[in-house]
Amino acid sequence: MEPSRPTTKQESEIPNLLKLVRKSCNNIEDHVGREVKISLPDCIMSGVAMFEFKYPSLLQFDKDGRADTMLAHNLKTLFKVNNVPSDTYFRERLDPVDPAALQQPIKEIINYLQNNKTLSDHKYSIDTNSSDEFYVVSVDATGNFSSNEVHCDSCCVKHHNDGSVTYYHQTLAAVMVHPERKTVLPLCIEPITKKDGATKNDCEHSAAKRLLENLRASYPKLKMLIVMDGLYADSVIISQLLKLKFSFIITAKEK
């Protein structure tokens, strides 16, 4: 079945959603204790714009933000960005931001879509003989940093047989999906990083336990069907899913 395209109604909601995110960003604590050239909300909204316009890199976004008059106009009018950060400054300003603080803008979007009934378009029935509908939520990890040299105290570390080392960061994400729609809606994020003073790596499994707790706390009344791969097919995760009253599908090999 061909995925449905965004409707005119959905497209018209984008300015309202961006306005919500911008307002929420104003409440995120800025841990930089010195005078700054560009505000934290400008940096965060620049990041949102970079993904919205599907830029391949921070550097290209930086260049076009200064040379492309149309992009500059959209940044100012839609995203309310007064100053576009350079790629280096962008990293310096966003790296200290607690990922948990970014959960609030996500919740604002979901609440908005719930209130105007748009979210109900994402309900899905897995049984054609039943009227029972769920919000299908896929849980999976994605890598967002990897290097053999550059690293920080929060990096997970992988030692290879040839003696080399890889430093990396990953994020576990819970995303609302629908088999007939292109649009996916982030619901919850959980970093997979070393905690302060930790000697052992964090892992997807531990992050999943934290994410499921936060997911239910953030959306206590949402009827969700959690979809996970075989990594989570064990009694610990299944017990937690049952405790939190999630329906779920987890792939598992016969053995």
Side-chain angles (χ1 to χ4, degrees):
M1 184 178 291
E2 185 69 22
S4 61
R5 298 180 59 81
T7 64
T8 302
K9 178 186 175 183
Q10 289 171 329
E11 290 171 349
S12 67
E13 286 172 349
I14 291 175
N16 291 330
L17 292 173
L18 291 174
K19 185 177 180 181
L20 269 178
V21 174
R22 176 73 197 207
K23 183 179 179 182
S24 186
C25 287
N26 291 335
N27 298 322
I28 295 177
E29 185 177 358
D30 190 349
H31 294 281
V32 176
R34 53 180 170 77
E35 187 176 346
V36 295
K37 298 182 293 183
I38 301 176
S39 71
L40 183 60
D42 268 8
C43 291
I44 294 175
M45 292 306 293
S46 293
V48 174
M50 187 185 74
F51 279 95
E52 177 70 21
F53 296 131
K54 296 180 173 60
Y55 267 85
S57 68
L58 290 173
L59 182 59
Q60 189 61 50
F61 180 77
D62 177 20
K63 289 179 179 178
D64 286 2
R66 302 171 197 287
D68 188 326
T69 54
M70 180 59 73
L71 175 61
H73 173 75
N74 286 332
L75 286 171
K76 200 170 187 70
T77 56
L78 282 175
F79 297 85
K80 308 303 179 186
V81 172
N82 297 309
N83 297 293
V84 182
S86 67
D87 62 323
T88 301
Y89 190 76
F90 195 47
R91 292 185 178 92
E92 289 176 353
R93 296 289 280 117
L94 291 187
D95 277 354
V97 175
D98 183 358
L102 300 177
Q103 186 63 42
Q104 189 56 39
I106 295 173
K107 287 175 63 177
E108 295 278 0
I109 291 173
I110 298 302
N111 289 339
Y112 175 84
L113 296 177
Q114 268 188 301
N115 291 335
N116 69 6
K117 310 300 182 185
T118 301
L119 196 68
S120 60
D121 294 341
H122 286 264
K123 287 182 179 178
Y124 183 72
S125 176
I126 60 172
D127 185 354
T128 55
N129 297 317
S130 171
S131 59
D132 210 11
E133 292 182 315
F134 298 88
Y135 292 106
V136 182
V137 179
S138 175
V139 174
D140 204 357
T142 181
N144 49 324
F145 173 80
S146 179
S147 174
N148 298 117
E149 298 177 359
V150 179
H151 61 93
C152 69
D153 292 339
S154 297
C155 280
C156 293
V157 183
K158 185 174 183 179
H159 296 273
H160 302 281
N161 292 333
D162 61 2
S164 63
V165 177
T166 298
Y167 303 97
Y168 64 95
H169 283 246
Q170 290 179 302
T171 299
L172 192 66
V175 180
M176 187 180 294
V177 297
H178 192 288
E180 298 166 11
R181 294 182 175 276
K182 283 186 176 181
T183 306
V184 299
L185 301 174
L187 293 178
C188 199
I189 54 175
E190 183 63 40
I192 304 174
T193 58
K194 277 187 181 177
K195 306 303 179 187
D196 290 341
T199 56
K200 291 184 178 181
N201 286 339
D202 193 9
C203 66
E204 283 187 48
H205 197 273
S206 296
K209 292 188 285 185
R210 301 192 299 269
L211 179 135
L212 291 172
E213 291 280 357
N214 294 334
L215 182 63
R216 180 48 83 200
S218 296
Y219 312 101
K221 296 183 179 179
L222 219 57
K223 190 175 180 180
M224 290 179 270
L225 172 70
I226 308 299
V227 180
M228 309 175 89
D229 64 27
L231 178 66
Y232 307 102
D234 62 61
S235 61
V236 174
I237 295 297
I238 291 174
S239 295
Q240 188 175 26
L241 287 163
L242 293 171
K243 174 188 171 185
L244 295 171
K245 294 181 168 46
F246 284 121
S247 297
F248 58 91
I249 297 175
I250 303 179
T251 59
K253 295 179 180 178
E254 285 189 25
K255 295 183 181 180

